[in-house]
Amino acid sequence: MAPRWSIPLVAGLAAPFGLYISFILLGSIPLFQRQYVRLSGTLIRGPYTSAAGEMLTSLLPVSYTRTSSIRSFGMTSISQNTGGSQAYLRNEDRLQAQPAGFAQDVTTTESFKMLREDPDARLVVYFHGNAGHVAQAIRPDSYHALTDNSNNHVLAIDYRGFGKSTGIPSESGLINDGAAAVDWAMKVAKVPASQIVILGQSLGTAVTSGVAEHFAMQGVEFAGVIMVASFSNLPTLLSRYSAAGFIPVLSPVRAIPPLMRFFQGFVVDKWQSDARLATLVGLTRTRLRLTLIHAKNDVEIPCSEDDALFRAAAGSVIGTDLDEEDFAKWKEERTVLRDDGTFVATVKSSQPDIVIREELVPYGGHNDVMMSSSVILAVMRSFGLESTKAS
């Protein structure tokens, strides 16, 4: 007969195991999978801030038309000419007179008019991560970082099912939403692709790779493609991902490959950024600036995921399939290693003009890395500003 103390012990161990199994089983259902990836909408809600008169960025919640069935929500941020604060000062009366609160039609806002009226406008289309909406957490601060003391404009969107945007999220749906936002920027705001950088963080990097591939197939090339805290593909990520940094997904079964493959087979939305970047590079005919940035202390998505993406993209430049050992040697020759273990690896091609850059930074974790100088400098390089002489 088992001792009495063993009963609560077994029950205590069985409870978390049961919860984990329930979590995995629910995750095999497409509806729940997409909610896990989404972690938004009714699950996480916070206030939308209206900062139409705020100094420097003039953030403004707006609505714009995406499709006939999806009502879209985004946030615009303007900053132009010789710096965010100077631009605001020159247009202070105009911006202060702009009505605060949600704007039903973005084309009626001063933010949009200033973007449309600026022939030299540089636009960053920002695709955020999986939790919350455009105005939550670090996102407004990251808009500031991208626009302060620059002449960058920012358009950030909520995908379908996120924030105030209607619809149900899916891989194809989110990529369509991202592509529609970029298409809107080119056709309605009249910003040419050569003056647009598409930038994503976390889940937004998968959207970014999908959008970049979509337009590459049409022969459209952007000023730059920047992916921060990215992952190679979802099945691979789930084998090592921990939600919030400590809740394992499939990592507990990684030691049993057949069981791992069984669970990975239930993943509906694959989010294969590695394959998409290889296609993007292969379709480039004129110019590509592709930048991968990851923090060494990211506890949610391992920085090794960027290595896989770099290899996929660089492989299209090399034109040959090197084995893992040979590729590591090839990459080492093109890497500047720092004393703290971080590095910058760069591969270049002259015809077409391609620069692929992988940068591992020491700090910033999964989210705060968006405010690092590496992201801002990546935007500047994409726009070719490293060759601009100081006046």
Side-chain angles (χ1 to χ4, degrees), residues 8-20:
L9 177 62
V10 171
L13 293 174
F17 180 75
L19 287 173
Y20 174 73

Side-chain angles (χ1 to χ4, degrees), residues 227 231-233 272-282 288 290 292 304-322 327 330-331 347 356 358:
M227 298 166 59
F231 58 95
S232 56
N233 60 74
Q272 294 177 312
S273 291
D274 45 4
R276 285 175 171 141
L277 290 189
T279 300
L280 169 65
V281 175
L288 173 65
L290 171 62
L292 309 170
S304 58
E305 286 291 291
D306 267 16
D307 297 334
L309 288 170
F310 183 82
R311 180 173 181 176
S316 287
V317 175
I318 300 171
T320 183
D321 187 19
L322 299 177
F327 181 82
W330 181 88
K331 181 180 178 181
V347 57
I356 302 169
E358 178 190 2

Side-chain angles (χ1 to χ4, degrees), residues 243-325:
F246 65 92
I247 304 173
V249 182
L250 292 181
S251 55
V253 299
R254 191 166 54 191
I256 311 173
L259 187 58
M260 173 66 73
R261 289 192 292 271
F262 172 76
F263 283 123
Q264 287 177 326
F266 286 97
V267 178
V268 177
D269 293 332
K270 308 295 185 183
W271 291 109
Q272 294 177 312
S273 291
D274 45 4
R276 285 175 171 141
L277 290 189
T279 300
L280 169 65
V281 175
L283 290 174
T284 298
R285 294 294 174 263
T286 305
R287 179 184 183 276
L288 173 65
R289 294 295 181 268
L290 171 62
T291 306
L292 309 170
I293 299 172
H294 217 115
K296 186 178 180 181
N297 66 338
D298 188 334
V299 297
E300 295 191 37
I301 296 180
C303 54
S304 58
E305 286 291 291
D306 267 16
D307 297 334
L309 288 170
F310 183 82
R311 180 173 181 176
S316 287
V317 175
I318 300 171
T320 183
D321 187 19
L322 299 177
D323 62 31
E324 189 171 342
E325 183 177 351

Side-chain angles (χ1 to χ4, degrees), residues 4 27 54 64 78 80 96 148 196 236 299 305 362 368 388:
R4 292 181 180 179
E54 184 181 354
Y64 66 99
I78 66 94
Q80 59 180 185
Q96 289 285 0
D148 288 359
I196 294 175
T236 299
V299 297
E305 286 291 291
D368 289 343
T388 302

Side-chain angles (χ1 to χ4, degrees), residues 4-41:
R4 292 181 180 179
W5 57 264
S6 66
I7 297 176
L9 177 62
V10 171
L13 293 174
F17 180 75
L19 287 173
Y20 174 73
I21 294 299
S22 298
F23 173 80
I24 294 299
L25 291 176
L26 285 173
S28 67
I29 302 172
L31 175 64
F32 285 95
Q33 274 185 41
R34 285 164 175 158
Q35 291 301 326
Y36 289 165
V37 171
R38 176 188 180 196
L39 285 178
S40 183

Side-chain angles (χ1 to χ4, degrees), residues 82-97:
T82 59
S85 56
Q86 293 183 31
Y88 186 94
L89 182 62
R90 284 192 300 274
N91 297 279
E92 184 175 10
D93 292 342
R94 181 179 179 182
L95 292 170
Q96 289 285 0

